Amino acid sequence: MKQASAVWVLMALGLINICSGYVWAEENSNSEVIYTIYEQSGWHFYPVTAQGEFFGFWSIPLVETKIGNIRRLWFEHDEDTNSWAVYAFEPLDKDAFMESLITDGADADSFGFIQFAESEATDDIGNGFVSGAIASGLLEGDPFAPLVDSLEDPEEVLNLLADVGYPVAPMISGEMSVGAGAAGNMSEAFKQSLDCLAFAGGSNCQWCTCTTNYGTPTPTPPGGPHPWTGAAVGGGGSFVDCEYTRPASAPYWLTGRKTFCPSCASGSAATPAGLAPGEEVITVRRLASDGCGTTPGGGLPSDVAPLTPGWRP
């Protein structure tokens, strides 16, 4: 994941690019700042207020999109439940959507810079007829939702769907996705990031999670004896489940959002970052009368698990 950055826009003798972003300000000697924009996950987030209090984020992609993708998002905060509702709408429907938010209580002057940003957007051609509530990066009721929700890390699948013009928001759907059967319309990490942008002004909003990947383990010490330790871990009746372990080390490398997460750029499968200590582990079901012994093998014919050791740090 990535660290959010504020974008500032200065309006004086035109739009002047300064520092790491932009500031929207009135033309006066004090250059009063009246608008802040945030950049995250390849999208711009524009705060909208209601009666002067934060209401939600209007979001426009910076990354390339296709007709059929989700190309506009609205993130609305519910103060009572401290949760976020997410809606997709088409660029061609932006005026109507804006009016609906104003009807719901949004301050009309919140949309001054958003209207400018929309006038500069280049992805507003065509109508993909993509709209509705978002859950875990997909439109609610999407036929791919059960598959995506079953995956430990759905980001790659969602990115592939975005590439072919499916109703997915490029980059950001993967960040929102929950996966692994978890409940909710967005990941906890994504929610925490939105909370930070909305209520901490984007200051030090860390949104950075690294994934540790492991290669093929090697028993330790290299070249020396590699005895197993066996122990019964379950079973019943005529059988016993035996777990065997022995010390091992495995090469590892980290993956994740690299631009704002330097620690996620450590190593690769070809050039690991280092070796992690751990152990090889294998579980075999054996006849209770045989016991576990000290060496894997002798599993029951019904034991379909291959005798290939796994590894755990």
Side-chain angles (χ1 to χ4, degrees):
M1 297 185 179
K2 61 188 290 187
Q3 179 179 352
S5 60
V7 178
W8 309 91
V9 180
L10 174 64
M11 180 61 126
L13 299 177
L15 291 175
I16 304 175
N17 204 355
I18 60 172
C19 300
S20 60
Y22 306 95
V23 173
W24 179 254
E26 293 178 344
E27 185 177 354
N28 58 45
S29 59
N30 296 323
S31 291
E32 179 187 0
V33 176
I34 62 171
Y35 207 87
T36 302
I37 311 162
Y38 302 103
E39 179 180 340
Q40 185 162 285
S41 304
W43 290 60
H44 267 164
F45 286 71
Y46 302 85
V48 173
T49 60
Q51 297 183 348
E53 299 294 327
F54 177 80
F55 183 31
F57 286 117
W58 181 288
S59 195
I60 300 175
L62 300 171
V63 294
E64 182 181 355
T65 61
K66 298 178 172 64
I67 296 176
N69 285 158
I70 295 170
R71 295 185 291 168
R72 290 295 182 276
L73 286 167
W74 166 250
F75 297 87
E76 184 170 323
H77 185 258
D78 187 322
E79 184 177 356
D80 294 334
T81 61
N82 188 27
S83 62
W84 293 85
V86 190
Y87 301 93
F89 59 100
E90 283 287 343
L92 289 179
D93 298 330
K94 58 182 178 289
D95 292 335
F97 197 86
M98 199 176 295
E99 288 299 322
S100 71
L101 293 178
I102 293 173
T103 300
D104 288 343
D107 298 329
D109 58 7
S110 291
F111 298 98
F113 190 76
I114 292 174
Q115 290 174 325
F116 168 77
E118 286 288 2
S119 71
E120 296 291 301
T122 59
D123 67 340
D124 59 351
I125 299 173
N127 192 341
F129 303 98
V130 179
S131 64
I134 299 294
S136 194
L138 293 165
L139 292 173
E140 284 187 346
D142 189 286
F144 277 108
L147 168 63
V148 169
D149 288 343
S150 71
L151 300 174
E152 186 69 30
D153 184 2
E155 186 170 354
E156 184 175 354
V157 170
L158 289 170
N159 288 340
L160 289 173
L161 290 173
D163 288 343
V164 297
Y166 197 76
V168 170
M171 286 185 65
I172 203 170
S173 277
E175 303 286 8
M176 281 193 288
S177 61
V178 176
N185 69 335
M186 65 176 62
S187 67
E188 181 60 26
F190 193 91
K191 178 188 179 301
Q192 290 177 5
S193 184
L194 288 181
D195 290 346
C196 186
L197 290 183
F199 307 113
S203 175
N204 297 318
C205 292
Q206 297 294 330
W207 189 23
C208 181
T209 298
C210 301
T211 299
T212 304
N213 307 276
Y214 297 103
T216 303
T218 301
T220 54
H226 305 127
W228 292 92
T229 298
V233 293
S238 61
F239 66 88
V240 61
D241 291 327
C242 302
E243 182 182 84
Y244 302 88
T245 60
R246 64 182 178 184
S249 61
Y252 73 91
W253 62 97
L254 301 176
T255 55
R257 293 292 175 198
K258 298 181 179 181
T259 304
F260 292 95
C261 300
S263 60
C264 286
S266 181
S268 64
T271 309
L275 288 175
E279 61 184 8
E280 287 185 299
V281 59
I282 187 169
T283 301
V284 180
R285 176 162 290 183
R286 304 181 67 169
L287 289 171
S289 57
D290 291 341
C292 289
T294 58
T295 306
L300 298 176
S302 61
D303 184 7
V304 297
L307 292 177
T308 302
W311 187 81
R312 60 190 178 199

